[in-house]
Amino acid sequence: MKILGIESSCDETAAAVVEDGRHIISNVVATQIPFHEEFRGVVPEIASRKHAEWILPVVQQALAEAHLSMDDIDGIAATNKPGLMGSLLVGLTFGKTLAWSLNKPFIAVNHMLGHLYAAHLSEDIAYPYLGLLVSGGHCIICRVENFDDITVLGTTVDDAPGEAFDKVAKFYGFGYPGGVIIDKLAQQGDPAAARFPVPSLHKGEHRYDVSYSGLKTAVINQIDQFWNPDFPKTPENISAAFQDTAVKILLSRLLRAAEDTGLTTVVAGGGVAANSLLRAKLAEHSELRCIFPPLKLCTDNGAMIAGVGYQYLKRGDRSPYDITASARIPQFKRGLKNR
Ligand code: KG4
Ligand code: ZN
């Protein structure tokens, strides 16, 4: 089964063709970063206009690179939540219209399930496992029973980790998007340059929750309080010290969840899963099998959407043509199943 996957939830216009939920035949990502860079963040109005302009050529390129026509496509999948409303609507409406006009099966896909599926495109992974979804908008530690059956154990009580990377980079003028730039700068810096506070571990139902607003405030507004004066306050040192704490926060909750659940496989996904320190620190835990998608599949792409789409369509699931987009996923709450 060859599935066309379409992704337009934020600032990447993306389409891919994936066979049997595993083999990526083509994967085209048109990034809008240069258009949002001068504003140091995604401008929703610009994003939806660019998606509208690019969606057809991006889908055409995905088919051309796969040496396929729409006749060869067995089903179409498009992201319908969560994300920027105007952006989501472009890819979703395009996908639904294409499916309706060609009488092909259509399925709407939750972007976060896509991020979780990205690792499955390159590895055989048995369920259940512990999922770590870390992106610009989300932070979810979850128990995963199937591609569409996740139970949220912990989430962020304020900012998402990617958001913290982006805000620190924006404040210090490092560039946009912040995650990948801080990751690079940090490699030349010393994490000992500052000792930012790590929020203490909660108890009870919040025991796996993370918080990033304290770290963000410490780095942006109170840096002198935590800085070691023996170190120069360079972008490299600021990045290294911030990133070190950001990863520590995430790891403390994840390791606690692994210990409590007894799950020994961790599957990461989302833009922050590309972070080199997070990858290195998790690799030190030999008691866990940690699986990260290849870097290109950590950030937004159509292949992960096609992969989830395949799993639904294979099972006989279809979305109605009147399905719409949702900016948020209200059911992504702790303890709830997300089918
Ligand atoms: O998954 P994604 O492409 O879009 C969302 O669904 O949010 O994630 C984008 C986020 C941004 O906040 C970006 O700064 C962050 O992922 N990111 C990184 C790295 N690469 C991207 N954060 C830390 N280290 C990286 N190497
Ligand atoms: Zn994403």
Side-chain angles (χ1 to χ4, degrees), residues 18-286:
V18 174
E19 189 166 19
D20 296 338
R22 183 69 194 259
H23 173 53
I24 301 174
I25 310 179
S26 67
N27 187 26
V28 177
V29 180
T31 181
Q32 302 179 0
I33 287 172
F35 299 92
H36 300 286
E37 222 161 16
E38 64 172 296
F39 306 100
R40 299 193 203 163
V42 180
V43 182
E45 178 67 17
I46 295 176
S48 30
R49 282 170 191 245
K50 283 289 156 204
H51 286 307
E53 221 175 279
W54 289 356
I55 189 76
L56 178 61
V58 164
V59 168
Q60 284 173 327
Q61 195 181 329
L63 290 168
E65 287 185 12
H67 304 290
L68 297 171
S69 76
M70 279 309 295
D71 289 344
D72 307 307
I73 298 296
D74 301 297
I76 298 168
T79 304
N80 79 319
K81 63 183 175 185
L84 300 170
M85 198 59 179
S87 292
L88 285 164
L89 283 171
V90 175
L92 176 68
T93 307
F94 187 92
K96 285 197 300 186
T97 310
L98 196 59
W100 175 76
S101 61
L102 298 173
N103 203 18
K104 306 264 184 200
F106 175 76
I107 190 81
V109 171
N110 177 331
H111 181 82
M112 299 314 291
L113 296 184
H115 275 308
L116 199 52
Y117 194 84
H120 291 258
L121 290 164
S122 49
E123 294 234 20
D124 282 321
I125 309 168
Y127 298 102
Y129 59 75
L130 204 56
L132 176 68
L133 289 171
V134 275
S135 70
H138 289 88
C139 182
I140 296 167
I141 294 172
C142 53
R143 181 185 173 89
V144 184
E145 302 281 351
N146 198 357
F147 78 95
D148 66 336
D149 184 355
I150 76 174
T151 302
V152 177
L153 302 173
T155 180
T156 176
V157 296
D158 39 58
D159 294 347
E163 195 179 347
F165 274 87
D166 294 341
K167 283 181 178 164
V168 167
K170 183 174 181 172
F171 179 82
Y172 286 104
F174 294 163
Y176 165 85
V180 68
I181 296 172
I182 287 183
D183 192 344
K184 261 201 206 106
L185 286 170
Q187 283 164 27
Q188 313 298 326
D190 193 329
R195 195 176 289 262
F196 297 117
V198 178
S200 52
L201 287 165
H202 294 287
K203 293 207 170 94
E205 65 163 358
H206 292 286
R207 55 191 282 108
Y208 310 115
D209 283 352
V210 302
S211 163
Y212 277 98
S213 78
L215 173 61
K216 179 189 68 188
T217 309
V219 179
I220 290 177
N221 299 325
Q222 305 157 341
I223 191 155
D224 291 335
Q225 229 171 291
F226 304 105
W227 199 260
N228 180 338
D230 298 340
F231 288 83
K233 214 182 275 157
T234 59
E236 289 80 5
N237 284 339
I238 296 172
S239 295
F242 159 74
Q243 179 178 266
D244 191 66
T245 311
V247 167
K248 254 185 208 140
I249 294 173
L250 211 47
L251 276 189
S252 59
R253 276 59 175 184
L254 184 73
L255 295 175
R256 186 185 230 190
E259 202 178 315
D260 290 359
T261 58
L263 295 170
T264 53
T265 302
V266 175
V267 175
V272 182
N275 186 266
S276 60
L277 184 69
L278 176 65
R279 293 169 95 102
K281 288 281 174 199
L282 261 174
E284 287 171 10
H285 288 269
S286 55

